[in-house]
Amino acid sequence: MQPTPMLVAVDLVVLTLRSGELEALLVRRGVEPYAGRWALPGGFVEPGEDLVDTAVRELGEEAGIGRLRPHLEQLATYGSPDRDPRGRVVSVAYLALVPDPGDPVAGSDAADAAWRAVGTLGRSRSLAFDHARILRDGVERARAKLEYTSLAAALIPEPFTVNELREVYAAVWGVEPDPRNFHRKVTSADGFVVETHATTTRGGGRPARLYRRGPAVQLHPPMLRG
Amino acid sequence: MQPTPMLVAVDLVVLTLRSGELEALLVRRGVEPYAGRWALPGGFVEPGEDLVDTAVRELGEEAGIGRLRPHLEQLATYGSPDRDPRGRVVSVAYLALVPDPGDPVAGSDAADAAWRAVGTLGRSRSLAFDHARILRDGVERARAKLEYTSLAAALIPEPFTVNELREVYAAVWGVEPDPRNFHRKVTSADGFVVETHATTTRGGGRPARLYRRGPAVQLHPPMLRG
DNA sequence: TAAATAGTGTCTGTAAGACACTATTTT
DNA sequence: AAAATAGTGTCTTACAGACACTATTTA
C-alpha cells in the first residue's frame, strides 16, 4: 500500500511582553479558507528546507523578527485529518519568545498583523483552523518553562533590571512575586543573569543594576509558582 | 507557488523496564533502505487517520501492546530534508511507556523485533535513519518527566510495591534513592499512588503493601534527582 | 536465631516566603 | 523632607537527605 503525501506547514506561536501583558503575534488571513480571520503566522515547508528553517524564515517574513535572535523551540505537531478544509495538512508548531519588536509590518501573504493579549484568545473560537488550541498549548508551555529555565529573560530587551525581569513573571503567571525574595533568588541562581557595571533609573527611585542573560538554560533552584 | 506534498510517518519510542534496565522496542527492517538494520517501530500516516491513531495502531501491530493501555505522548517531529533517502519524509515521534509485555511478536512489516537496553543505543550509529537521535530524545524526555510527574508507575505492572517503583527510578536515573526517604515521599505525595488492601512477599522479607497508580499527573512536591 | 525487606521517627541543612530594615535616587 | 524603587538581613516553616530504629516475614 502506497503512503499518502500530505502538506506540511509550520505555524508560529510568537510571544512577547507589551505594556505588562503577554501578547501573541497574529496575522489576518487574506485568502480562503478563513479569509479575514486572525490566525497564527505560518506557511508551508519548502522542498529541501528543514522545519526549523521554515520557522526562522516565517519569523523574518511575517514580522521582521529574525534580527532579534528569538528563543525558538518546537512546540508540537497537529495533524487531525479535518483541521484544514483544503485537505490533509500537518502543521508543526514552533514557539518563539522575543523582546517586544514594536508594531509589526504586514508580510506578503498577510493582509494585516497585530499583537494581541493572550488572556482571552485561547478560549475563543475567533482564530482560524485549530490555532486557538495551538496558541493555548504554546502559552502553557511558556508558563511551565519559566519555572525551571531562564526563558523569562528572552521576553525583554537587554540589558534589563531585576524588576523588569520580575514583571515578566507577574505578567505570565498572573502573580506578583515578592520583589525582595525575587531579587535574592535571581541573583543567587547560578548563571541566570550576569551583571553589567551599568545602572539605570528608568524605573524611578534608586538606580537599579542592569543585567544580561546568563549562560544557564536550566535553573537550579527553579522559580516556583506556589 | 504551490506547496510540496511530503510523506508523514509516525515513529515510536517504546520504553519499558526489564530485569532492572530501561529498554526500548526495536524492529529489524526487512526492506530497503537500511534493510537488516534495527529501527524504531513506525509507519506512515494513513488518509483520514489522526497522528495519535497512527501511533496507537503501530503499537498494536508491532508488538501487541495496545491492550496494556500504555502512556502515550507526542515527543517531537523530525523533518530534516535528507533524513530519508527515499525522499522527503517528516516523522512525528511518539513516546510510549508500558509495563513489560514480554518478548515481542514480529509484526507484518518487521522481520524481527526485540527489546534492547537504551544505555549504549543513543550514542551508536547502529539504528536506521535518525532513530538514534529520536531514541535519545525520548529517553531524555522520560528521564526528565519522572521528576515531576507520576510517569514512573506506567513502566511497571499494577499492583506494585513501593520498592518496585523505586527500582524504576534507579534504572532510569542510574541513582539509588534512599529506600526509607523514597517510601515517605511516594506515600505522602498527593495522588501519586493509592494503596490497596493487599500485600505481597514476592520481594522477600516483611510483606509489602501493594499500590495502584494514583490520579495525580503532576507531582507535588516533585521527586528530585540531586 | 539470622537475614532480608518494609516502614517510621528524628536530626540537620537548605531554601522559600514573610517582612523589617537600609540605600539611593527624584520631586 | 517625602515618595519611590533597589537591595540586604532575619525569622519561620517545609522539606530533602542521612540514618537510627522498629516491624514482619523467610530460611
Side-chain angles (χ1 to χ4, degrees), chain A residues 2-226:
Chain A
Q2 288 300 332
T4 311
M6 303 174 180
L7 297 183
V8 179
V10 163
D11 287 316
L12 293 170
V13 177
V14 188
L15 301 178
T16 194
L17 202 73
R18 286 164 62 93
S19 51
E21 285 244 55
L22 188 65
E23 303 197 346
L25 182 65
L26 299 180
V27 297
R28 195 191 287 275
R29 287 183 57 80
V31 299
E32 291 295 342
Y34 296 101
R37 297 278 285 280
W38 292 101
L40 297 177
F44 290 103
V45 178
E46 294 189 355
E49 188 181 46
D50 202 349
L51 301 175
V52 71
D53 294 332
T54 307
V56 169
R57 174 170 58 78
E58 296 289 341
L59 266 179
E61 285 181 8
E62 306 266 8
I65 280 172
R67 58 178 176 79
L68 296 172
R69 297 184 152 280
H71 169 86
L72 186 65
E73 67 178 54
Q74 196 183 294
L75 177 58
T77 297
Y78 301 82
S80 173
D82 54 358
R83 60 179 297 278
D84 190 318
R86 290 168 294 188
R88 193 68 196 260
V89 178
V90 171
S91 171
V92 183
Y94 277 79
L95 173 65
L97 305 185
V98 299
D100 180 10
D103 289 321
V105 190
S108 49
D109 56 347
D112 201 358
W115 291 101
R116 291 296 174 82
V118 300
T120 58
L121 282 175
R123 261 185 282 275
S124 80
R125 272 176 227 147
S126 59
L127 297 188
F129 307 106
D130 51 0
H131 287 187
R133 161 82 189 284
I134 299 175
L135 175 60
R136 207 179 334 122
D137 291 348
V139 170
E140 189 43 54
R141 167 83 64 94
R143 272 198 239 273
K145 289 196 85 166
L146 280 206
E147 190 152 352
Y148 58 96
T149 70
S150 57
L151 264 183
L155 287 165
I156 47 177
E158 290 188 306
F160 50 83
T161 69
V162 171
N163 200 49
E164 286 158 1
L165 187 60
R166 191 180 63 89
E167 283 165 354
V168 176
Y169 287 88
V172 177
W173 285 353
V175 300
E176 287 279 349
D178 182 279
R180 298 155 294 183
N181 292 334
F182 184 86
H183 190 283
R184 186 159 24 88
K185 265 167 92 160
V186 164
T187 53
S188 68
D190 202 43
F192 193 176
V193 296
V194 295
E195 64 177 55
T196 69
H197 294 296
T199 61
T200 181
T201 57
R202 62 184 174 229
R206 168 175 168 180
R209 195 184 303 278
L210 288 165
Y211 294 85
R212 294 187 176 278
R213 299 193 257 277
V217 180
Q218 301 274 327
L219 289 187
H220 287 286
M223 313 290 296
L224 300 176
R225 38 168 175 169

Side-chain angles (χ1 to χ4, degrees), chain B:
Chain B
M1 197 186 67
Q2 290 300 333
T4 310
M6 303 174 181
L7 298 183
V8 179
V10 164
D11 287 315
L12 294 170
V13 177
V14 188
L15 301 179
T16 195
L17 201 72
R18 286 164 61 93
S19 50
E21 283 244 56
L22 188 65
E23 302 197 348
L25 183 64
L26 300 181
V27 297
R28 196 192 286 275
R29 288 183 58 79
V31 298
E32 292 293 341
Y34 296 101
R37 297 278 285 278
W38 291 101
L40 297 176
F44 290 103
V45 178
E46 294 188 356
E49 187 181 48
D50 203 348
L51 301 176
V52 71
D53 294 332
T54 307
V56 169
R57 175 171 57 77
E58 296 290 340
L59 266 179
E61 286 181 7
E62 305 267 7
I65 280 172
R67 58 181 176 78
L68 296 172
R69 297 184 154 279
H71 169 86
L72 185 63
E73 67 178 54
Q74 196 183 296
L75 178 58
T77 297
Y78 301 82
S80 173
D82 54 359
R83 61 180 295 280
D84 191 318
R86 288 169 294 188
R88 192 69 196 259
V89 179
V90 172
S91 170
V92 183
Y94 278 78
L95 173 65
L97 304 185
V98 300
D100 180 10
D103 288 321
V105 190
S108 49
D109 57 347
D112 201 358
W115 292 101
R116 290 296 175 83
V118 300
T120 57
L121 281 174
R123 262 185 280 277
S124 78
R125 270 175 228 147
S126 59
L127 297 188
F129 306 107
D130 51 0
H131 288 187
R133 162 82 190 283
I134 299 176
L135 175 61
R136 208 179 334 124
D137 290 349
V139 170
E140 189 43 53
R141 167 82 64 95
R143 272 198 239 273
K145 290 196 89 168
L146 280 207
E147 191 151 355
Y148 57 94
T149 72
S150 56
L151 265 183
L155 287 167
I156 48 178
E158 290 186 307
F160 49 83
T161 68
V162 171
N163 200 49
E164 285 159 3
L165 187 60
R166 191 179 64 90
E167 283 165 354
V168 176
Y169 286 87
V172 177
W173 284 354
V175 300
E176 286 281 348
D178 182 279
R180 297 155 297 182
N181 293 334
F182 184 86
H183 189 283
R184 187 160 23 89
K185 266 166 92 159
V186 164
T187 52
S188 67
D190 202 42
F192 191 175
V193 296
V194 296
E195 63 177 54
T196 69
H197 294 296
T199 60
T200 183
T201 58
R202 63 186 173 225
R206 171 176 168 179
R209 196 185 302 278
L210 288 165
Y211 294 84
R212 295 187 175 278
R213 299 193 258 276
V217 180
Q218 301 275 327
L219 289 186
H220 287 286
M223 314 289 295
L224 300 177
R225 41 168 173 167

